[in-house]
Amino acid sequence: MATVANDILIAYPPVGDHRLRRIVALPEHVRVTVGLDSSEALDALSGAASRAGRTIGVYVEMDVGMHRVGLPDVDDIVELARRASDAPGVHYRGVMFYPGHIREHVSQQTPALARLRADLRERIDALAAARLAPQVVSGGSTPTAFASHSVDSMTEMRPGTYIFSDRTTAEIGAARMEDCAFTVLATVVSTAVPGQAVVDAGSKALGREPLRGAAGEGFGVLLTAHDVTVHAMSEEHGLLRLPGNGGWRPRVGDTVRIIPNHVCYSVNLHPVLWAVSDSTIVDRWEVAGRP
Ligand SMILES: Cc1ncc(COP(=O)(O)O)c(C=O)c1O
């Protein structure tokens, strides 16, 4: 990322020497900010940055309902922000949260967004009262992206799935199926069992992620026939349930494009993406950041 961006946020706790070494080795022209939620992570980052003669930005991560990482308690948030503003080698830049718990259909998010707005206000007021008002309030997700303006204290949003969109995003109304820009190209390898076709894309190509926050079965749908789902998979086999009443009937050797339930998993399973415009391959993108 440092070769294409000069402002990088690492929205993940920087715990462990292997992470700290890479953070402080980033090129000097890159403005680096790290989200963290513990004094252990802060102290280690402060030490590594000081030793390297660097200043690394810090967001104090808050839990506002997802219960994954982030401090839930207001006093603890203020305490860690104070520590960050006093520590050498780091610069307290603000706070972050991830509203990953808001997965309702976009038409039903209003109560959850109102709660989020109130919870953020309480935390930001407490920080301001302690003279630690955050310069940046970083939040956002793909399901809430289009409602970001209603979370009035937020100054930065981080939608990611949004880049390509996927079946889950479309099902919860945060995109349309035709907005989905990522598909897995698969070949029909068998139609031997009546009522189904089998393609050469299973869990190793699509990821085994259920629809999250949306109703529906299966692990993906055909780009050109949304009623055809990948209803079961093994590692290299995707089983397509064929629609009744003379619908789509593929032949062995046909190719199909599948929109996965969750694009982030599927991207991570492929070393290369082919950029296609009007059925022509126009670019080849290496997926460089696969763990
Ligand atoms: C901390 C954090 N920020 C932003 C995102 C992007 O969110 P989304 O996948 O809803 O676009 C994620 C996704 O997992 C995340 O974990």
Coordinates of all heavy atoms in Angstrom, one line a residue, residues 11 68 96 98 103 140-143 158-162 264, ligand 1:
A11 N -6.3 -0.7 10.6 CA -7.4 -0.8 11.5 C -7.4 -2.1 12.2 O -8.4 -2.9 12.2 CB -8.7 -0.5 10.7
R68 N -16.4 -7.0 19.4 CA -15.2 -7.8 18.8 C -14.0 -7.2 19.4 O -13.4 -7.8 20.3 CB -15.2 -7.6 17.3 CG -14.1 -8.4 16.6 CD -14.2 -8.4 15.1 NE -14.0 -7.1 14.5 CZ -13.9 -6.8 13.2 NH1 -14.2 -7.7 12.3 NH2 -13.7 -5.5 12.8
M96 N -11.8 5.4 16.7 CA -12.4 4.6 15.6 C -13.4 3.6 16.2 O -13.3 3.2 17.4 CB -11.3 3.9 14.7 CG -10.5 2.8 15.4 SD -9.5 1.9 14.2 CE -10.6 0.7 13.6
Y98 N -16.1 0.2 14.5 CA -16.6 -0.5 13.3 C -18.0 -1.0 13.6 O -18.3 -1.8 14.5 CB -15.7 -1.7 13.0 CG -16.2 -2.5 11.8 CD1 -16.4 -1.9 10.6 CD2 -16.4 -3.9 11.9 CE1 -16.9 -2.6 9.5 CE2 -16.9 -4.6 10.8 CZ -17.1 -4.0 9.6 OH -17.6 -4.7 8.6
R103 N -26.5 -4.9 10.5 CA -26.6 -5.7 9.3 C -28.0 -5.9 8.8 O -28.4 -6.7 8.0 CB -26.0 -7.2 9.5 CG -24.6 -7.2 9.9 CD -23.8 -8.3 9.1 NE -22.4 -7.9 9.0 CZ -21.9 -7.3 7.9 NH1 -22.6 -7.2 6.8 NH2 -20.7 -7.0 7.9
G140 N -17.8 3.6 9.9 CA -18.4 3.2 8.6 C -18.2 1.8 8.3 O -17.2 1.1 8.7
S141 N -19.0 1.3 7.4 CA -19.0 -0.1 6.9 C -19.8 -0.1 5.6 O -20.4 1.0 5.3 CB -19.7 -1.1 7.9 OG -21.1 -0.7 8.0
T142 N -19.8 -1.1 4.9 CA -20.6 -1.1 3.6 C -22.1 -1.1 3.9 O -22.8 -0.3 3.3 CB -20.2 -2.3 2.7 OG1 -18.8 -2.2 2.4 CG2 -21.1 -2.4 1.5
P143 N -22.6 -1.9 4.8 CA -24.1 -1.9 5.0 C -24.6 -0.5 5.5 O -25.7 -0.1 5.2 CB -24.3 -2.9 6.1 CG -23.2 -3.9 6.0 CD -22.0 -3.0 5.6
R158 N -15.0 3.8 6.4 CA -14.1 2.8 5.9 C -14.9 1.6 5.3 O -14.7 0.5 5.7 CB -13.2 2.2 7.1 CG -12.5 3.3 7.9 CD -11.5 2.6 8.9 NE -12.2 1.6 9.6 CZ -12.9 1.8 10.7 NH1 -13.0 3.0 11.2 NH2 -13.5 0.8 11.3
P159 N -15.7 1.9 4.3 CA -16.4 0.7 3.6 C -15.4 0.0 2.8 O -14.5 0.6 2.1 CB -17.5 1.4 2.8 CG -17.0 2.8 2.6 CD -16.1 3.1 3.7
G160 N -15.4 -1.3 2.8 CA -14.4 -2.1 2.1 C -15.1 -3.0 1.0 O -14.8 -3.0 -0.2
T161 N -16.1 -3.8 1.5 CA -16.8 -4.7 0.6 C -17.4 -3.9 -0.6 O -17.5 -4.4 -1.7 CB -18.0 -5.3 1.3 OG1 -17.5 -6.0 2.5 CG2 -18.8 -6.3 0.5
Y162 N -17.8 -2.7 -0.3 CA -18.2 -1.6 -1.2 C -17.5 -1.6 -2.6 O -18.1 -1.3 -3.6 CB -18.0 -0.3 -0.5 CG -18.5 0.9 -1.0 CD1 -19.8 1.5 -0.7 CD2 -17.7 1.7 -1.9 CE1 -20.2 2.7 -1.2 CE2 -18.1 2.9 -2.4 CZ -19.4 3.4 -2.1 OH -19.8 4.6 -2.6
C264 N -15.1 -10.6 0.2 CA -13.8 -10.5 0.9 C -13.1 -11.8 1.0 O -11.9 -12.0 0.8 CB -14.0 -9.8 2.2 SG -14.9 -8.3 2.2
Ligands
LIG1 C1 -12.2 -2.6 11.1 C2 -12.9 -2.7 9.8 N1 -13.1 -1.5 9.1 C3 -13.7 -1.6 7.9 C4 -14.2 -2.8 7.4 C5 -14.9 -2.8 6.1 O1 -16.2 -3.1 6.3 P1 -17.2 -3.7 5.2 O2 -16.8 -5.1 4.9 O3 -18.6 -3.6 5.8 O4 -17.1 -2.8 4.0 C6 -13.9 -4.0 8.1 C7 -14.4 -5.2 7.5 O5 -14.3 -6.3 8.0 C8 -13.3 -3.9 9.3 O6 -13.0 -5.0 10.0

